[in-house]
Amino acid sequence: MRTALVFAVSAALVAGTAVGLAPAAHATATTDAAGAAESGIRFVDISGDGGTVLKANVVTPAGADGSARYPVIVLPTSWAMPQIEYLAQARKLADAGYVVVSYNSRGFWQSGGEIETAGPKDVADASKVIDWALANTPADPAKVGMAGVSYGAGISLLASAHDKRIKAVAALSGWADLIDSIYSGRTQHLQAAALLGGAGYLTGRPGPELQRILGDFLSSDLSKEEEMIAWGKKRSAVTYLDRINANGTAVMLGNAWGDTIFPPNQYASFYEKLKGPKRLEFRPGDHATAEGTGLLGLPNDTWTNAHRWFDRHLKGADNGIDREQPVQLKSRSTGGYEGYPDWKSVGAGQKRIALDDTEHVWANVDSGANGGVVLLSNLLDQFLQAPPVASIPLLPRAFAGVWQSERYDSVQRVRGTAKLHTTVTATKESGTLVAYLYDVGPLGLGKLVSNAPYTFHGKTPGTPFSVDLELFSTSYDVPAGHRLALVVDTVDPLYIEHNPTGAQLTFSSPSADPSYVSIPLREE
């Protein structure tokens, strides 16, 4: 029943977008086809893995007559998006001297096959598209790149591990670790999975494996957990990290601080393990919102840097991008950019908030502290600096544990990943807790800085155990005169919770193992 309800809700969420998108896509395609002679755009069918037809479009530089070779960029579409998704960026790239081939990922829209969720067939499709481009366009086999947003980013990273011809990748709002994205803290990210599942059913054809995995995931079938994790690892670039490093692929990663589908932590961890040329960019927003304006052809920093990345690593242009600090962060508070030599330098200063008081919390009730709504809440934060809020003094202490710092005399520039360490005693063997970090003003109104869920199973009731939890990475300035608050409760609409009826959680701070939340701060 839970699975059916989730699919119904998610279908309602995405139906308006999907229904409105199809006619728009058709109209654009018709216009572009009519202007093909001038723009160099062709709509083609490409034979993917096993002969599956992939609907694609090809954009070539003006005046390309086959006498010269050009670097080529392959763009797999995002989840549930039609093949014209990247047309505005493809034109810009073609104007800059690239052949661009964008294709509809298998199982979606008019492409054949079933949705494999970046499985082996999707990876093989990417290589087939490269084969086609080299055989049918003036593409240079020594200068092959891939890029994409979301699903396209994940496929691009995976393809770079399996195809040595791919020299550079720009993976935007994607994942490197699928399990750490939608199952972080051993907790199902309900709204994210439901939205993806609903969009998949509305715009494509989920294969039997995806249907089974998604059903087991949303129904909390723990007997299938190992199978689900193995399925996710097969679809995670971090599993093939050694291959990417051996290939020397130049990898640019871009994401949003508030990405509720693929949170930033897993990208940062993956970035640190890359050995070749690399760049990491984080900006305010939610899933794919940092790149969204660029898909409409509007000025966009993420896409501008992606173009620079390809110019450097496919064309050899000396444009300075490799001399910039490779970690570029845009603050949620100021909108300004900050550069760092590596991820560990972000938040190199640390300040601990002691969690001395023992707190008893009844489970199964939403205290009013929560992470917002998938896509919407962090979009508001991106454009209006209006994150989810809660009145900290009014949070019911029976259902939420609350600890606060002292009032700060100066601005606290939170950068990176806050970490919670605490001791929990549960009355049941399973349970879920969600931790929130708030910026609390003089009137007690808290603005959400970060959050993360944590689920446990198989614990002995009444026996304390330690919990270490990384909150989602962020960049946020706490104004002077404000304080930070850590709030812990047991229910959040973003996640599936595992608290049995009547469960209680006790948070304590033993003298031999004190509880704290470690706040990463920018070093001045």
Side-chain angles (χ1 to χ4, degrees):
M1 289 180 64
R2 171 183 278 173
T3 304
L5 177 61
V6 164
F7 282 141
V9 172
S10 58
L13 285 172
V14 299
T17 300
V19 170
L21 189 56
H26 174 75
T28 304
T30 302
T31 302
D32 292 336
E38 178 181 353
S39 62
I41 301 169
R42 287 187 291 149
F43 288 82
V44 299
D45 290 349
I46 297 176
S47 181
D49 184 57
T52 297
V53 173
L54 304 175
K55 295 294 183 177
N57 59 68
V58 184
V59 188
T60 53
D65 57 7
S67 62
R69 293 286 178 179
Y70 301 90
V72 58
I73 307 291
V74 173
L75 302 167
T77 55
S78 303
W79 187 271
M81 292 296 286
Q83 62 160 306
I84 62 163
E85 175 187 8
Y86 302 113
L87 204 52
Q89 288 301 319
R91 284 169 163 163
K92 290 177 183 290
L93 285 164
D95 289 344
Y98 290 90
V99 171
V100 184
V101 182
S102 175
Y103 69 96
N104 231 132
S105 304
R106 70 165 51 224
F108 286 105
W109 294 84
Q110 288 81 29
S111 282
E114 297 174 324
I115 301 172
E116 301 286 337
T117 322
K121 292 181 180 179
D122 290 301
V123 175
D125 283 346
S127 291
K128 290 287 188 180
V129 173
I130 293 172
D131 292 343
W132 185 93
L134 298 179
N136 295 277
T137 75
D140 188 336
K143 299 177 179 180
V144 178
M146 284 194 70
V149 175
S150 185
Y151 194 46
I155 291 175
S156 295
L157 282 176
L158 287 162
S160 74
H162 293 82
D163 195 324
K164 294 181 179 180
R165 295 174 296 181
I166 301 170
K167 304 303 182 185
V169 168
L172 312 177
S173 286
W175 77 92
D177 188 329
L178 189 57
I179 294 300
D180 197 37
S181 294
I182 62 173
Y183 195 54
S184 69
R186 207 179 177 187
T187 308
Q188 297 99 322
H189 293 214
L190 173 61
Q191 290 186 17
L195 188 63
L196 291 173
Y201 273 92
L202 281 168
T203 63
R205 300 166 299 283
E209 186 179 30
L210 172 58
Q211 294 182 47
R212 184 180 71 255
I213 291 291
L214 192 58
D216 293 340
F217 180 83
L218 293 173
S219 62
S220 304
D221 188 346
L222 286 176
S223 69
K224 303 292 186 179
E225 185 179 41
E226 289 187 9
E227 179 185 349
M228 180 193 70
I229 290 174
W231 177 86
K233 284 183 176 180
K234 184 186 294 186
R235 290 158 170 80
S236 298
V238 69
T239 303
Y240 313 100
L241 179 69
D242 290 346
R243 296 186 190 180
I244 296 175
N245 286 333
N247 293 343
T249 313
V251 177
M252 172 182 161
L253 304 171
N255 205 353
W257 293 118
D259 195 321
T260 45
I261 295 179
F262 304 128
N265 301 46
Q266 45 92 30
Y267 249 16
S269 175
F270 179 70
Y271 170 84
E272 285 290 89
K273 298 180 180 73
L274 289 169
K275 303 296 184 184
K278 58 184 180 179
R279 184 178 177 93
L280 178 67
E281 299 183 356
F282 286 144
R283 296 177 174 84
D286 205 311
H287 184 64
T289 64
E291 303 86 22
T293 56
L295 294 177
L296 300 176
L298 301 174
N300 181 277
D301 290 353
T302 306
W303 282 105
T304 295
N305 286 340
H307 290 213
R308 295 174 64 219
W309 189 250
F310 288 127
D311 287 348
R312 179 71 187 100
H313 294 287
L314 295 183
K315 289 183 175 181
D318 185 13
N319 57 15
I321 195 169
D322 52 338
R323 294 189 293 275
E324 297 171 0
Q325 296 277 37
V327 177
Q328 293 287 321
L329 311 182
K330 188 175 184 180
S331 169
R332 290 169 54 198
S333 302
T334 67
Y337 283 96
E338 300 167 357
Y340 298 86
D342 48 40
W343 178 250
K344 65 178 178 288
S345 298
V346 177
Q350 295 286 325
K351 181 175 290 188
R352 286 189 176 184
I353 300 173
L355 310 180
D356 294 330
D357 298 334
T358 298
E359 297 278 356
H360 304 278
V361 174
W362 287 89
N364 303 115
V365 176
D366 189 342
S367 70
N370 65 66
V373 178
V374 66
L375 296 183
L376 177 61
S377 296
N378 291 312
L379 186 67
L380 292 175
D381 184 42
Q382 176 182 354
F383 290 105
L384 301 176
Q385 292 189 1
V389 298
S391 176
I392 305 304
L394 297 181
L395 291 176
R397 296 311 196 257
F399 308 117
V402 179
W403 300 263
Q404 297 194 67
S405 73
E406 75 280 4
R407 200 179 303 276
Y408 296 117
D409 294 330
S410 60
V411 175
Q412 304 294 296
R413 294 181 171 85
V414 180
R415 300 291 186 273
T417 309
K419 299 177 182 179
L420 168 64
H421 174 77
T422 190
T423 295
V424 177
T425 305
T427 59
K428 306 289 185 180
E429 67 173 4
S430 295
T432 296
L433 61 95
V434 185
Y436 309 89
L437 188 66
Y438 283 100
D439 160 24
V440 184
L443 299 179
L445 185 66
K447 294 183 177 181
L448 187 64
V449 177
S450 184
N451 77 100
Y454 181 91
T455 293
F456 58 88
H457 296 288
K459 299 298 183 182
T460 302
T463 301
F465 59 94
S466 62
V467 168
D468 288 286
L469 175 62
E470 288 191 350
L471 277 64
F472 300 137
S473 303
T474 195
S475 174
Y476 184 96
D477 291 353
V478 179
H482 288 211
R483 63 179 80 218
L484 283 168
L486 180 78
V487 176
V488 180
D489 71 2
T490 63
V491 175
D492 189 309
L494 286 173
Y495 313 113
I496 292 178
E497 51 91 6
H498 297 260
N499 298 296
T501 301
Q504 297 178 57
L505 302 179
T506 298
F507 300 90
S508 59
S509 182
S511 58
D513 185 20
S515 295
Y516 61 86
V517 59
S518 179
I519 308 299
L521 299 174
R522 176 186 173 187
E523 289 190 333
E524 300 299 332

